[in-house]
Amino acid sequence: MSSLSDMLTIILLAPHISSAIFWETAKLWMKGSKVIVLDIPLLFETKMDRWTHPVIVVWVDPQTQIERLMSRDGCSEEQAHNRINAQLALDWKKSEADIVINNSGSLDDTKEQFQEVLRKVSEPLTWKERLRSRDGLFSVVLCTAVGVLLAQKNFL
Ligand SMILES: *[C@@H]1O[C@H](CO)[C@@H](O)[C@H](O)[C@H]1NC(C)=O
């Protein structure tokens, strides 16, 4: 039962979540933020991974995941299993990630890994990375379009 209602929640909320996140991101981008961190637990389920790069998965081993869920929400082991089964397997998400943070250790350990990742993604992009990014592709398309327009103008 709980997995079905979790699924329904995901389906019903997804459009609202994504438009809120979209506007928030657009605002930050206009303010000139170079790195915007979106914390989206259902990133893959809502297919928002198409718009984000790099994708960072915070991974935890299955046993620790169950134990933490039980102690946080005070649910039974079975309920914890059901909740986890309603989401895509964390190991699959890990395989889709660009960067993995191992959250199986202490909180300090996880924070340290996060700082390291933040340092890495804050570094300026190389030319190749810039070309491969969505932004880069957009500016290349824009340059080409402007180039074509200018060329046509010169012809006329
Ligand atoms: C994740 O971290 C735990 C605790 O530090 C460690 O025991 C485990 O080997 C790590 N697992 C992976 C896949 O890195």
Side-chain angles (χ1 to χ4, degrees):
M1 265 330 263
S2 99
S3 69
L4 179 64
S5 66
D6 278 357
M7 288 292 225
L8 284 175
T9 313
I10 294 167
I11 294 164
L12 293 175
L13 287 180
H16 302 284
I17 298 170
S18 44
S19 71
I21 289 172
F22 174 81
W23 287 116
E24 210 46 53
T25 308
K27 259 194 278 177
L28 289 171
W29 184 78
M30 282 188 286
K31 280 186 196 160
S33 305
K34 295 272 181 284
V35 176
I36 301 169
V37 180
L38 304 177
D39 179 8
I40 311 176
L42 299 169
L43 181 79
F44 292 105
E45 285 87 344
T46 52
K47 306 226 187 297
M48 277 195 272
D49 59 303
R50 281 180 293 184
W51 312 108
T52 52
H53 183 84
V55 170
I56 303 165
V57 166
V58 181
W59 177 87
V60 67
D61 68 82
Q63 193 50 44
T64 309
Q65 187 181 24
I66 298 271
E67 279 164 14
R68 286 187 187 161
L69 194 55
M70 283 163 65
S71 80
R72 190 194 69 184
D73 294 356
C75 58
S76 71
E77 191 168 342
E78 197 198 337
Q79 284 168 325
H81 271 291
N82 285 341
R83 292 268 293 280
I84 289 166
N85 288 340
Q87 301 181 11
L88 294 171
L90 195 50
D91 282 335
W92 178 82
K93 293 179 179 177
K94 186 183 178 189
S95 72
E96 291 290 300
D98 299 304
I99 299 170
V100 177
I101 291 178
N102 178 1
N103 188 23
S104 309
S106 67
L107 189 57
D108 279 342
D109 194 21
T110 302
K111 280 182 181 164
E112 210 170 287
Q113 290 178 66
F114 178 72
Q115 288 306 323
E116 181 57 36
V117 167
L118 200 55
R119 223 183 348 262
K120 222 177 359 180
V121 299
S122 304
E123 282 168 10
L125 297 178
T126 65
W127 250 105
K128 265 192 182 164
E129 282 169 335
R130 202 181 295 253
L131 274 177
R132 259 186 292 153
S133 75
R134 215 164 273 279
D135 260 15
L137 192 62
F138 183 67
S139 31
V140 169
V141 171
L142 199 66
C143 285
T144 313
V146 171
V148 170
L149 281 177
L150 286 178
Q152 282 180 342
K153 260 206 155 143
N154 286 342
F155 270 124
L156 294 176

